[in-house]
């Protein structure tokens, strides 16, 4: 995926990744109420995502059904790589060190990382 998506577009994508295909009204109803978005706002965001070729739509009578063209796992992988490339020179170790130095890793986080590393070694 070469196109970046905004935070607002990401909220729409989370809805479509969770369940699709959906109509625009279905998406409106599933956006968290804390966003306080109108139907027009959601339709604008759907239009932007269509233009970026991140979602597709198909006709269903007089309405459209929207579905993602990019899997959430692929999006997360791309965003993670961009973050690590931009802030840590493409290396994961400085990211983990940064989190550890700022006391942002819990004991459970450390246990999970250790288990992951053991699994990768074995």
């Amino acid at each position: 995926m070469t196109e970046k998506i905004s935070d607002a577009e990401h909220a729409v994508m989370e809805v479509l990744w969770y369940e699709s295909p959906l109509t625009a009204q279905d998406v409106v109803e599933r956006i968290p109420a804390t966003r306080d978005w109108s139907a027009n706002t959601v339709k604008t965001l759907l239009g932007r995502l269509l233009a970026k070729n991140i979602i597709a739509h198909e006709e269903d009578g007089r309405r459209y059904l929207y579905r993602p063209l990019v899997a959430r796992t692929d999006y997360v992988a791309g965003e993670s790589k961009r973050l690590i490339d931009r802030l840590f020179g493409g290396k994961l170790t400085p990211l983990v060190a940064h989190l550890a130095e700022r006391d942002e890793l819990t004991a459970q986080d450390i246990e999970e990382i250790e288990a992951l590393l053991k699994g990768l070694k074995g």
Side-chain angles (χ1 to χ4, degrees), residues 74-105:
D74 293 339
Y75 172 74
V76 169
E79 286 297 299
S80 299
K81 181 173 177 5
R82 273 193 281 284
L83 173 76
I84 293 168
D85 287 349
R86 184 168 45 100
L87 298 179
F88 299 99
K91 297 182 180 184
L92 184 59
T93 305
L95 168 63
V96 175
H98 170 76
L99 294 173
E101 289 165 2
R102 298 182 58 91
D103 293 326
E104 295 186 24
L105 291 177

Side-chain angles (χ1 to χ4, degrees), residues 6 16 28 34 41 54 71 89 93 109 122:
S6 69
L16 292 172
V28 169
T34 54
T41 298
I54 296 171
T93 305
D109 291 333

Side-chain angles (χ1 to χ4, degrees), residues 19 26-27 36 41 46 53 78 101 111 119-121:
E19 180 181 2
D26 292 335
V27 175
D36 197 30
T41 298
L46 287 167
N53 223 16
E101 289 165 2
E111 285 179 23
L120 291 172
K121 280 185 176 182

Side-chain angles (χ1 to χ4, degrees), residues 37-61:
W37 287 346
S38 69
N40 285 339
T41 298
V42 173
K43 289 176 184 177
T44 296
L45 293 169
L46 287 167
R48 288 180 189 170
L49 290 165
L50 281 167
K52 292 179 179 183
N53 223 16
I54 296 171
I55 65 172
H57 68 287
E58 58 193 56
E59 286 188 44
D60 181 42

